């Protein structure tokens, strides 16, 4: 557990210093902390998981810090399944569901306790609170999470003590815990699949968090439009920094690397270098999402004319993407096949591309062969939640081959991308990329566009920019 720092300026710790450090500290235990408002929902999620695996022990780790260099680490991101099942976001932890004879489970959070002041650990160790910040005590965590808590340093021994209990663990999250149990890779993958699938329908508390994420994102986009002239004077980085400031002020961070793509960068799906110029006359494709303190993220895209007004060709492309999105959004309703929104949007874009003469018709044939994909590139959306591409490990039958249900949250994000070196389109179309992306909540009788606070149609976007653009 020692930090193991080479070339530090102190070569050792005298006995007197060690003794001095251990004395004179106040008791900071917090008594009477309230139960987290998420706790009852997390208990419901654990009950749903428990019902899937009667008689089996389930181990869901949170993950460890990753070293960047020496004693510097990357920002910690807990494993999504752990967050969902506990509401906790701590590192080096695990949720263990121990099977009961009645088929249910008892839940234990194995957590790092506070560092005692009776060893050097609190100021010299890997987990040193004096360097990393105060953690909750086990008693505090029990009150906040509503789960029995144990010292994670006993987890491996506890698991090894009863090796006959059939066990599953989520692999690839915590190598040390993984080494402490004997499990089967296929059965472990089923646990991950179940955890992912249980996130498909959001509970009421999660929907509230999604609204917060989207509302902060709307404010972040408005910030960016307000700062456009400063971006023109510098680069895409100004946009990235502007959105990031909102994300850090109102939430934990951005939910994924912001795509701040001006000009032909808009045709690069995962453009995150964000170091290009922002030029009047070009479009700016901004794809960004604020992640709440509880780690739920929005995922929104707007494509803006940097001058405030679309050129005729930009508007033609924009209008086609807008109509495709309208067709996609109309297909988001309970009972619809998940793929319907994708098919509706892609079919519309295939028709437009045939009409423009960029792919060979008839449109039905072009769509069947997927010819539109040269210009649409990506699928039309995905589930959204704790992960930007949420529920990615869920079974196909309950996700892409499944049916929409109230409480699901997904993006609808058609786009058209004309690469700068694409000789099959006229020159003035080259380098244009347009995506419009909104976050849809499936409701009892249709859907609610959570990101409706941002203008979508070309006219609305121009009017908004005229009002807000700085
Ligand atoms: N920002 C990633 C996506 O739209 O899927
Ligand atoms: Mn996006
Ligand atoms: Mn998306």
């Amino acid at each position: 557990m020692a930090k193991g720092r080479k070339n530090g300026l102190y070569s050792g710790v005298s006995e007197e210093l060690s003794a001095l450090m251990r004395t004179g500290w106040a008791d900071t235990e917090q008594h009477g902390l309230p139960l987290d408002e998420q706790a009852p929902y997390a208990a419901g999620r654990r009950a749903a998981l428990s019902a899937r695996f009667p008689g089996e022990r389930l181990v869901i780790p949170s993950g460890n810090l990753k070293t960047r260099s020496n004693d510097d680490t990357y920002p910690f991101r807990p494993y999504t399944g752990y967050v969902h099942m506990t509401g906790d976001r701590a590192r080096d932890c695990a949720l263990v569901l121990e099977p009961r004879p009645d088929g249910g489970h008892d839940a234990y959070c194995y957590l790092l306790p506070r560092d005692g002041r009776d060893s050097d650990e609190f100021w010299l160790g890997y987990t040193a609170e004096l360097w990393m910040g105060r953690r909750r005590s086990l008693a505090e965590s029990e009150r906040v999470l509503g789960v029995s808590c144990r010292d994670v340093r006993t987890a491996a021994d506890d698991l090894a003590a009863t090796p006959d209990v059939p066990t599953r663990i989520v692999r690839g999250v915590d190598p040390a815990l993984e080494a402490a149990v004997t499990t089967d890779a296929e059965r472990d993958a089923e646990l991950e699949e179940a955890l992912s699938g249980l996130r498909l329908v959001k509970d009421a508390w999660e929907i509230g968090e999604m609204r917060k994420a989207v509302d902060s994102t709307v404010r972040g986009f408005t910030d960016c439009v307000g700062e456009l002239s400063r971006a023109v004077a510098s680069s895409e980085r100004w946009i990235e920094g502007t959105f990031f400031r909102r994300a850090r002020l109102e939430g934990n961070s951005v939910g994924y690397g912001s795509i701040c793509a001006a000009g032909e960068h808009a045709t690069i799906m995962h453009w995150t270098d964000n170091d290009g110029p922002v030029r009047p006359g070009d479009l700016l494709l901004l794809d960004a999402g604020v992640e709440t303190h509880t780690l739920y993220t929005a995922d929104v895209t707007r494509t803006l004319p940097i001058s405030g007004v679309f050129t005729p060709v930009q508007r033609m492309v924009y209008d086609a993407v807008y109509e495709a999105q309208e067709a996609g959004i109309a297909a988001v309703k309970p009972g619809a096949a998940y793929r319907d929104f994708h098919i509706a949007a892609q079919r519309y874009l295939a028709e437009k591309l045939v009409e423009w003469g960029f792919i060979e018709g008839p449109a039905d044939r072009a769509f069947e062969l997927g010819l539109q994909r040269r210009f649409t590139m990506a699928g039309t959306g995905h589930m959204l939640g704790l992960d930007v591409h949420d529920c990615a490990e869920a079974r196909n039958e309950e996700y892409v081959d499944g049916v929409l249900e109230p409480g699901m949250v997904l993006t609808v994000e058609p786009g058209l991308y004309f690469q700068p070196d694409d000789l099959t389109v006229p020159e003035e179309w080259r380098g244009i990329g347009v995506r419009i992306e909104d976050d849809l909540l499936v409701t009892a009788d249709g859907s609610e566009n959570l990101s409706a606070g941002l203008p979508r149609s070309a006219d609305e976007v121009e009017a908004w920019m005229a009002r807000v653009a700085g």
Side-chain angles (χ1 to χ4, degrees), residues 256 259 286-288 298-301 382 388-389 411 413 435 437:
Y256 54 91
I259 298 168
L286 175 58
D287 181 344
D299 179 11
V300 174
T301 305
H382 51 84
V388 61
H389 292 176
T411 69
E413 52 173 307
R435 176 162 65 256
E437 175 172 28

Side-chain angles (χ1 to χ4, degrees), residues 179-203:
V181 292
T182 305
T183 61
D184 173 77
E186 243 174 71
R187 290 156 51 81
D188 289 346
E190 287 167 4
L191 172 58
E192 194 177 357
E193 198 175 73
L195 285 163
S196 207
L198 285 168
R199 298 202 305 275
L200 282 163
V201 175
K202 272 64 184 170
D203 58 41

Side-chain angles (χ1 to χ4, degrees), residues 11 32 41 49 52 54 57 69 71 97 205 223 234 255 265-266 282 292 322 344 353 358 360 366 368 413 437 442:
S11 53
Y41 295 95
L49 181 67
R52 303 261 183 116
R57 172 189 283 149
S69 67
D71 59 353
L97 295 186
W205 183 86
D223 294 342
S234 57
H265 290 156
D282 283 347
T292 61
Y322 175 79
L353 289 161
F358 297 161
E360 200 182 318
E368 287 310 320
E413 52 173 307
E437 175 172 28
V442 183

Side-chain angles (χ1 to χ4, degrees), residues 222-360:
T222 307
D223 294 342
C224 290
V225 173
E227 298 268 326
L228 253 187
S229 61
R230 302 180 82 170
V232 169
S234 57
S235 78
E236 296 164 339
R237 288 283 167 93
W238 195 272
I239 301 292
E240 180 183 335
T242 300
F243 190 83
F244 186 67
R245 181 180 60 217
R246 178 66 67 171
R248 289 290 282 171
L249 281 174
E250 295 195 7
N252 179 56
S253 188
V254 287
Y256 54 91
S258 300
I259 298 168
C260 308
E264 66 185 46
H265 290 156
T267 65
I268 304 170
M269 298 301 288
H270 292 167
W271 175 256
T272 51
D273 287 353
N274 300 339
D275 59 356
V278 178
R279 296 192 185 100
D282 283 347
L283 296 174
L284 171 71
L285 184 156
L286 175 58
D287 181 344
V290 173
E291 175 189 71
T292 61
H293 294 291
T294 56
L295 308 185
Y296 287 81
T297 190
D299 179 11
V300 174
T301 305
R302 287 295 181 267
T303 306
L304 312 166
I306 294 161
S307 68
V309 180
F310 291 100
T311 66
V313 173
Q314 288 168 351
R315 188 179 260 263
M316 211 182 319
V317 178
Y318 192 94
D319 286 346
V321 173
Y322 175 79
E323 292 299 336
Q325 200 202 22
E326 287 279 279
I329 290 173
V332 175
K333 52 190 167 202
Y338 170 76
R339 286 181 198 275
D340 283 356
F341 79 96
H342 167 68
I343 292 169
Q346 295 292 314
R347 187 180 286 278
Y348 181 85
L349 291 174
E351 281 166 16
K352 285 312 277 189
L353 289 161
V354 168
E355 185 187 313
W356 290 331
F358 297 161
I359 55 176
E360 200 182 318

Side-chain angles (χ1 to χ4, degrees), residues 349-391:
L349 291 174
E351 281 166 16
K352 285 312 277 189
L353 289 161
V354 168
E355 185 187 313
W356 290 331
F358 297 161
I359 55 176
E360 200 182 318
D364 277 350
R365 174 186 167 277
F367 176 72
E368 287 310 320
L369 295 174
L371 303 186
Q372 81 282 358
R373 292 177 62 186
R374 178 176 175 111
F375 304 105
T376 64
M377 291 179 67
T380 313
H382 51 84
M383 294 293 174
L384 184 67
L386 279 166
D387 288 335
V388 61
H389 292 176
D390 206 28
C391 315

